[in-house]
Amino acid sequence: MPIVINKEACIGCEACVEICPEVFEMDESSEKATVKDPDAVLDCVEEAIENCFTEAISKS
């Protein structure tokens, strides 16, 4: 399942980037998180999803 970030819900807090930098990074132009590797299978992805303040991260 690909990892997806809802850009409208993302507030750019960088929590996902801090938790899982192998998968998430910040887009400096939009100041929102982006997914570097949408097919990553790492434990930190689940932790990032659970810790997203706005529930902007999901697997589709």
Side-chain angles (χ1 to χ4, degrees), residues 26-48:
M26 291 301 293
D27 177 355
E28 297 304 322
S29 63
S30 69
E31 298 182 349
K32 306 275 182 168
T34 61
V35 180
K36 294 193 285 190
D37 183 1
D39 298 313
V41 181
L42 299 170
D43 291 338
C44 64
V45 171
E46 293 298 326
E47 185 178 351

Side-chain angles (χ1 to χ4, degrees), residues 10 16 23 31-32 51 55-56:
C10 178
C16 59
V23 178
E31 298 182 349
K32 306 275 182 168
N51 286 283
E55 300 180 353

Side-chain angles (χ1 to χ4, degrees), residues 14-27:
E14 298 188 40
C16 59
V17 177
E18 291 177 17
I19 293 168
C20 198
E22 301 89 355
V23 178
F24 302 100
E25 65 186 353
M26 291 301 293
D27 177 355

